[in-house]
Amino acid sequence: FLLCRGMQASKNKNTEKTEPFYRLLVPKQKTSSEIINEARNVLRTLSTRRPFTPTEDQRKLFGYGSSRAPQNRPPSVFSLHASSFDLAEPRPVSGVRLSPLDHKPILVTFAKDEESSISFPKPPADAAGVRKVSSVRARLFRTSQENSLSAKMVPPDQNEEKLDSEEPPMMNNLCRSNSNCLAEQRSYTPFNDESRQSICNDRISSSEREELLKGTAGNFLFQLRGESDQMKKPGTSSSWPRSTGWKRRVPGLEDETRINESEEEEIFWHIKILPIVHELEKAEDNIENLCLACTKLYQALNEGNMLGKRFKRRSVLLKTLYKLVDIDSDSLCLKLAKIFLAMKLDRKNLLSVCKLAFKICKNEKNDYIIQNDRLLDCLLEVLRTEDLQKNNEALLYCMGAIKFMSGNAVLLNEMVNKGAVEMLLQLMKHINNIKENDTYFSDLGHLLVQLTATLRNLADLPPARCLLMRSGTVSELCVALEQRTDDKDVCTYIVRIFSKLSSYNDFCAALADCSRCYVLFLALLNKHQKQQDLVIRIIFILGNLTAKNNQAREQFFKEKGSVNTLISLFQTYHELDLNTQKWYHERGGEGKNHPKHPSEAEDVLIKLIRVLANLSIHPSIGAALAAAHRVVELLVTVLEYKSVDDCEELVINAATTINNLSYYKVKSSAVQDKKLHIAEMLLKLLMSNNMDGVVEAVRVFGNLSQYHEICDFIIQKKIYKFMIALLDAKNRDVCFSACGVLLNLTVDKNSRALLVEGGGIGKLVDCLQDFGPADWQLACLICKTLWNYSENIASAASCFGEDTDMLLVLLTSLLDEELALDYSLDRDLRDYQKLYWEKEFKPVAEKLLDRIQSHHSFLPTVTITPF
């Protein structure tokens, strides 16, 4: 607050102006920039703690305070068994998109006996025919690949040795893939494994088998090694094996290529996969062996590029793996979930595996094994690739699992490194594109809760904050907030994100530039007025926006009903606080039963008053709020019913806001109308043992003491003695505030003698000596006070007494530029001090020194020392 202004040094030094220093006389109309700069020195914004969000005791899909009724939300607890998975999956597809034909396709016709064999499946009657077909196909396959083989081919005998260990089932599968006719017969003929093995052994001779091994297995294993570096990550769609020669579809060879791929899969299955499947079957309930076998299986599937939907024998493998889900072991289920996700299950099975992952991540004790098994990669891949609408429930549990992971610091950092922030923002954008009338809109709200909760956790990390502060993030969060106004859970998490990020200047500036955020915040405050956890965070965000940004103050204030909304909230939580206090006092509670402070209602009031204080920095808004009687009434009410011992921050914030509003001199000022009542309330604060409260009360008295009624009140209540005593506080802010009150008292000639009581003159001189060179604003204030006091001076000795000589020495020293200014400071600060010293302090100090010297009989001989 400005306690004095209006007197400048006279251009004619022979003419002494004797008018007192006080602020009511304004010589000219100030410009807006001058008013703002002036206000920055006297008006103060308020800071406060960010609302505390306690960590939930248990990991759940929806937290303890969720607005969703249990019957209207997906469950966090469920049973999961092998029966939860469906074996009847859709037929696998190749994943290769064919180009449209530019000519009329030629239909392939079959011989009569072939057609009949397909239509009427039966066991093959001619074993020699089967051997002939198999032998020819093996030779064709070998011949077609000879040109592409290098000299590093795996020796045939090694391949043969490996195949021999699994000969019966392998031969069965090769036989089954030798011709379309036999394939159809196998699928419709109820043979058991033994009969199939017998047929295959009878049909294929050892020489033919050797040819097949040389042509197929050798080429397959060679290509497997050669392309191991080019294989994609698990879960990505690819066509295996890849080579430039196989990418073109040559007419007449397409069927042969498909046959070759199928046979290579069969061989890899028997060499690599089937032994592991047998291990899984034999391990029974040995968890360690099962986990080891699952790890080997994942590696083998990845090595053979058999992960994904194109794996031909996936149903056989999945049937074995599904049975293991019934074993109660999180470590085993983690291995299984990783394999299932990489194999790209869909629909019901995708939902089941996402629930499985959710169930594992729900237990905080599993965080360590999750870190080591890279489950996060698989879950992020699901979010990236799966259809949002068709698999929204699966994505819900997938996102829920990721949310649980974000509660772990190690996994949280891993998420940022793997691009989770960008992925989640992209997913939110897709959700925002679903309109309210869409069938999936409501269900996607559950997913959005998990997504925004995860983003809130990510906002704690500096790298993630940098990503969230980029352009577009604020806009998408505002769109989600606008679309989900009725969904308290979504609103709460988005507001928590804003609450966290608005503590940083960059994000706060970006949010302030989003003009519609003010409308959204006001709409939420009006809609969810009694939802304390939501209201307090929105108020906190508004406090951050208006703390340093004048444009934000203007935009918020101009929104329709903005001040009325704040007043309504003030009344609601003031009444709630009163009822809490009443309930407490009626029960005579003491000691341990005393309610903690700040309570939830008090915390809302603290942050709401902060918004009012920050808004009042703006000249036009401050003047409007000073004239808003209901605002001032509520602020005064806080001082009436609340003790600084009960809730220090609330009372001091109210006093600070009253002080800001008292700065504005408007005709209809509510502060001016209630100034005496305010002074009475401040007296209670002034007499407290809380120094911060005392200083704030003194500041308000500094502004109000410009009115004669308040000066009379100060004299009547002997508050001036308290102000003089505060000069001994050795605290610059306390001395400045107390000196301001004394300055305004000395405007009245009849009150000047009061300054002598309690050694006021000596204390002012001591303050000038202690703080003068370090605070030219305070030094200027002291000189103005002494100037007013000495207006009717007869002699320096009678006026200043024993402090006369010390005052002369101080003024002489402080007016010496070489001695007064600290040249050890950096240039900017030194220039600022010099400017204030020249414009503010020097004119007043020179006039005071002249007055004292002209009324002093002799000058003392003293040595002037630098400060």
Side-chain angles (χ1 to χ4, degrees):
F1 45 84
L2 289 181
L3 297 172
C4 50
R5 69 171 183 259
M7 178 172 182
Q8 303 295 331
S10 174
K11 292 182 180 179
N12 184 358
K13 291 190 176 181
N14 295 324
T15 305
E16 182 185 270
K17 291 188 177 181
T18 59
E19 72 268 21
F21 289 103
Y22 58 105
R23 78 176 278 180
L24 291 183
L25 293 180
V26 181
K28 64 177 182 178
Q29 183 68 32
K30 290 183 178 289
T31 65
S32 297
S33 61
E34 288 174 331
I35 293 174
I36 292 173
N37 289 331
E38 204 171 64
R40 284 174 181 165
N41 293 326
V42 299
L43 305 180
R44 296 184 304 123
T45 58
L46 293 174
S47 59
T48 187
R49 295 181 299 273
R50 185 164 51 86
F52 173 69
T53 303
T55 304
E56 295 181 357
D57 296 334
Q58 294 181 339
R59 291 181 173 181
K60 295 181 179 180
L61 199 59
F62 299 96
Y64 173 76
S66 174
S67 61
R68 286 165 164 74
Q71 65 272 18
N72 295 331
R73 66 189 187 195
S76 293
V77 180
F78 43 77
S79 59
L80 203 62
H81 306 287
S83 57
S84 304
F85 294 85
D86 189 1
L87 286 174
E89 285 198 315
R91 185 175 180 178
V93 295
S94 66
V96 177
R97 186 183 296 276
L98 301 179
S99 302
L101 298 175
D102 54 1
H103 65 280
K104 185 176 181 180
I106 301 174
L107 298 177
V108 179
T109 59
F110 296 92
K112 183 177 181 180
D113 57 336
E114 289 178 333
E115 292 177 353
S116 62
S117 68
I118 295 174
S119 303
F120 305 95
K122 60 183 179 179
D126 186 2
V130 174
R131 286 196 298 272
K132 181 179 179 181
V133 172
S134 178
S135 178
V136 170
R137 181 162 296 150
R139 287 195 297 273
L140 280 173
F141 180 76
R142 185 176 67 251
T143 303
S144 66
Q145 299 298 322
E146 280 176 353
N147 293 332
S148 64
L149 292 176
S150 70
K152 296 182 180 180
M153 181 183 294
V154 178
D157 55 344
Q158 293 181 17
N159 293 307
E160 184 173 6
E161 182 180 351
K162 291 182 179 179
L163 264 70
D164 285 344
S165 63
E166 295 295 340
E167 180 179 341
M170 181 194 71
M171 291 302 121
N172 166 41
N173 291 323
L174 290 175
C175 180
R176 191 169 66 174
S177 63
N178 273 337
S179 69
N180 291 335
C181 175
L182 290 178
E184 293 296 335
Q185 288 177 337
R186 288 283 179 267
S187 63
Y188 289 97
T189 305
F191 287 142
N192 55 32
D193 290 342
E194 293 181 0
S195 63
R196 290 180 180 178
Q197 293 175 12
S198 176
I199 290 172
C200 288
N201 291 332
D202 291 342
R203 299 294 188 267
I204 301 178
S205 66
S206 60
S207 61
E208 292 167 341
R209 187 183 310 133
E210 183 178 351
E211 284 186 289
L212 180 62
L213 289 172
K214 291 179 180 178
T216 305
N219 182 40
F220 164 72
L221 293 175
F222 165 74
Q223 290 189 2
L224 189 62
R225 285 198 309 272
E227 295 187 334
S228 62
D229 294 338
Q230 300 176 6
M231 291 192 178
K232 291 188 176 182
K233 292 181 180 180
T236 58
S237 177
S238 62
S239 180
W240 176 89
R242 291 186 180 272
S243 67
T244 55
W246 287 20
K247 288 182 181 178
R248 290 176 53 198
R249 292 191 175 273
V250 182
L253 294 179
E254 184 175 341
D255 290 341
E256 181 183 338
T257 301
R258 189 180 298 112
I259 292 168
N260 294 341
E261 293 178 6
S262 177
E263 289 181 342
E264 289 172 358
E265 275 189 5
E266 293 292 331
I267 294 171
F268 190 83
W269 166 266
H270 288 279
I271 294 175
K272 294 284 188 178
I273 309 300
L274 194 58
I276 301 175
V277 174
H278 288 164
E279 286 185 40
L280 291 171
E281 292 172 346
K282 292 176 184 177
E284 296 180 350
D285 292 339
N286 190 319
I287 303 299
E288 186 177 350
N289 290 343
L290 286 171
C291 290
L292 182 61
C294 286
T295 301
K296 290 164 58 179
L297 176 62
Y298 183 90
Q299 293 171 348
L301 291 171
N302 186 32
E303 179 187 354
N305 203 20
M306 300 176 78
L307 293 169
K309 294 186 177 180
R310 69 177 302 276
F311 177 33
K312 186 176 180 180
R313 287 186 174 270
R314 106 197 220 110
S315 60
V316 177
L317 177 60
L318 287 174
K319 183 176 181 180
T320 302
L321 296 176
Y322 289 158
K323 293 178 182 178
L324 300 178
V325 175
D326 288 332
I327 299 176
D328 186 18
S329 168
D330 284 348
S331 56
L332 176 59
C333 286
L334 175 60
K335 303 284 185 182
L336 294 172
K338 185 179 176 183
I339 295 173
F340 291 153
L341 291 170
M343 292 182 71
K344 297 220 177 262
L345 305 184
D346 56 10
R347 295 303 179 94
K348 178 184 176 181
N349 290 340
L350 177 61
L351 172 59
S352 296
V353 69
C354 287
K355 283 186 172 182
L356 185 63
F358 175 88
K359 192 174 180 182
I360 297 165
C361 297
K362 186 179 177 184
N363 188 347
E364 191 174 350
K365 296 178 181 178
N366 292 332
D367 285 355
Y368 179 75
I369 60 173
I370 292 171
Q371 293 173 27
N372 297 329
D373 229 320
R374 304 176 70 85
L375 178 64
L376 177 61
D377 294 14
C378 300
L379 293 176
L380 291 176
E381 182 67 12
V382 171
L383 290 185
R384 189 181 67 83
T385 58
E386 294 299 333
D387 185 271
L388 181 62
Q389 298 185 12
K390 292 180 181 177
N391 298 312
N392 66 81
E393 189 176 2
L395 290 176
L396 167 67
Y397 285 100
C398 175
M399 193 67 245
I402 294 175
K403 179 187 74 173
F404 293 154
M405 289 184 185
S406 69
N408 178 279
V410 176
L411 291 169
L412 193 64
N413 278 283
E414 189 178 340
M415 286 182 191
V416 179
N417 297 333
K418 294 182 182 298
V421 176
E422 299 93 329
M423 195 179 299
L424 295 182
L425 291 175
Q426 188 64 26
L427 179 60
M428 182 168 63
K429 187 175 183 179
H430 291 319
I431 295 174
N432 288 343
N433 289 335
I434 306 298
K435 303 307 176 185
E436 192 171 355
N437 55 358
D438 194 286
T439 309
Y440 300 98
F441 182 83
S442 178
D443 291 338
L444 290 176
H446 303 319
L447 174 59
L448 197 56
V449 171
Q450 312 307 312
L451 191 156
T452 50
T454 308
L455 283 177
R456 165 59 189 83
N457 292 341
L458 284 165
D460 285 326
L461 296 182
R465 281 200 299 270
C466 293
L467 295 171
L468 290 170
M469 289 179 186
R470 290 179 179 175
S471 59
T473 302
V474 171
S475 177
E476 286 302 329
L477 288 169
C478 285
V479 169
L481 201 59
E482 189 172 7
Q483 291 181 348
R484 308 280 174 171
T485 307
D486 293 330
D487 192 331
K488 177 183 171 288
D489 292 346
V490 172
C491 293
T492 299
Y493 280 115
I494 294 178
V495 165
R496 281 179 178 175
I497 296 170
F498 283 151
S499 173
K500 176 69 177 177
L501 295 179
S502 65
S503 300
Y504 300 90
N505 292 335
D506 290 346
F507 187 87
C508 202
L511 183 58
D513 290 339
C514 182
S515 57
R516 66 179 175 182
C517 76
Y518 305 101
V519 179
L520 288 173
F521 290 149
L522 287 170
L524 289 172
L525 289 174
N526 288 316
K527 189 175 189 67
H528 303 285
Q529 193 168 105
K530 294 187 178 181
Q531 301 294 332
Q532 189 268 350
D533 57 336
L534 185 60
V535 168
I536 193 171
R537 286 170 175 80
I538 296 176
I539 295 297
F540 176 74
I541 296 165
L542 290 174
N544 290 342
L545 290 173
T546 55
K548 299 179 181 179
N549 193 321
N550 228 29
Q551 183 180 354
R553 295 171 188 138
E554 290 178 3
Q555 286 184 313
F556 176 77
F557 186 75
K558 288 178 181 177
E559 291 297 338
K560 184 179 180 181
S562 58
V563 175
N564 288 336
T565 298
L566 296 180
I567 291 173
S568 178
L569 285 170
F570 205 139
Q571 291 176 168
T572 299
Y573 284 91
H574 166 60
E575 291 172 3
L576 183 61
D577 190 36
L578 283 176
N579 292 335
T580 302
Q581 279 197 347
K582 182 179 178 182
W583 178 88
Y584 169 71
H585 289 301
E586 284 178 352
R587 284 157 180 74
E590 294 291 342
K592 294 181 180 179
N593 296 324
H594 196 282
K596 68 173 185 176
H597 294 287
S599 65
E600 289 185 349
E602 287 172 337
D603 209 9
V604 172
L605 292 174
I606 287 169
K607 290 166 176 57
L608 195 152
I609 291 174
R610 176 188 177 224
V611 176
L612 293 172
N614 293 350
L615 286 172
S616 66
I617 300 296
H618 191 285
S620 60
I621 299 174
L625 291 176
H629 285 256
R630 188 56 183 148
V631 170
V632 176
E633 285 174 4
L634 289 168
L635 291 170
V636 174
T637 302
V638 172
L639 299 180
E640 289 175 346
Y641 85 99
K642 188 69 67 175
S643 163
V644 70
D645 295 328
D646 289 341
C647 189
E648 175 183 338
E649 189 177 4
L650 177 58
V651 174
I652 292 177
N653 280 11
T656 301
T657 308
I658 290 173
N659 175 55
N660 284 0
L661 297 180
S662 68
Y663 170 77
Y664 298 99
K665 298 298 174 286
V666 291
K667 293 182 179 179
S668 56
S669 171
V671 176
Q672 184 176 347
D673 291 347
K674 297 180 180 295
K675 55 183 178 291
L676 279 175
H677 183 53
I678 292 173
E680 290 174 357
M681 295 300 102
L682 289 173
L683 184 58
K684 181 175 66 173
L685 183 59
L686 197 63
M687 296 298 116
S688 70
N689 294 323
N690 187 294
M691 183 53 68
D692 290 334
V694 169
V695 172
E696 208 56 57
V698 173
R699 284 191 178 119
V700 184
F701 272 117
N703 277 350
L704 295 181
S705 59
Q706 298 167 71
Y707 302 101
H708 293 294
E709 299 93 328
I710 299 301
C711 287
D712 293 341
F713 178 84
I714 291 173
I715 295 171
Q716 180 186 354
K717 300 294 183 180
K718 300 189 183 302
I719 296 174
Y720 67 91
K721 291 185 176 181
F722 192 78
M723 299 300 168
I724 293 173
L726 286 176
L727 295 175
D728 282 331
K730 302 302 179 184
N731 180 293
R732 193 183 305 177
D733 290 335
V734 173
C735 291
F736 183 87
S737 301
C739 190
V741 176
L742 296 175
L743 169 63
N744 288 336
L745 286 177
T746 58
V747 172
D748 185 359
K749 296 179 181 181
N750 298 325
S751 303
R752 291 170 186 169
L754 299 174
L755 197 59
V756 181
E757 294 185 25
I761 301 298
K763 293 181 188 298
L764 286 172
V765 173
D766 289 341
C767 282
L768 186 62
Q769 183 177 14
D770 293 337
F771 304 118
D775 191 338
W776 295 115
Q777 191 176 14
L778 175 57
C780 178
L781 202 61
I782 293 171
C783 289
K784 287 180 178 180
T785 305
L786 294 174
W787 172 265
N788 286 355
Y789 167 74
S790 62
E791 181 182 5
N792 297 320
I793 184 172
S795 69
S798 63
C799 185
F800 297 105
E802 60 184 12
D803 297 302
T804 304
D805 293 343
M806 177 58 72
L807 183 57
L808 283 170
V809 172
L810 283 173
L811 290 174
T812 304
S813 300
L814 293 173
L815 286 169
D816 188 326
E817 183 176 343
E818 293 294 328
L819 295 175
L821 297 179
D822 187 355
Y823 284 89
S824 65
L825 300 173
D826 63 81
R827 183 172 180 178
D828 290 340
L829 186 57
R830 186 173 68 249
D831 290 346
Y832 170 79
Q833 281 205 348
K834 183 177 180 180
L835 180 64
Y836 207 95
W837 177 80
E838 289 179 344
K839 300 294 184 183
E840 298 290 333
F841 172 76
K842 186 178 178 181
V844 180
E846 284 180 341
K847 293 187 70 64
L848 180 61
L849 181 60
D850 289 344
R851 174 181 282 179
I852 296 173
Q853 289 176 341
S854 64
H855 292 83
H856 198 37
S857 58
F858 65 93
L859 292 176
T861 303
V862 293
T863 302
I864 301 175
T865 56
F867 292 94

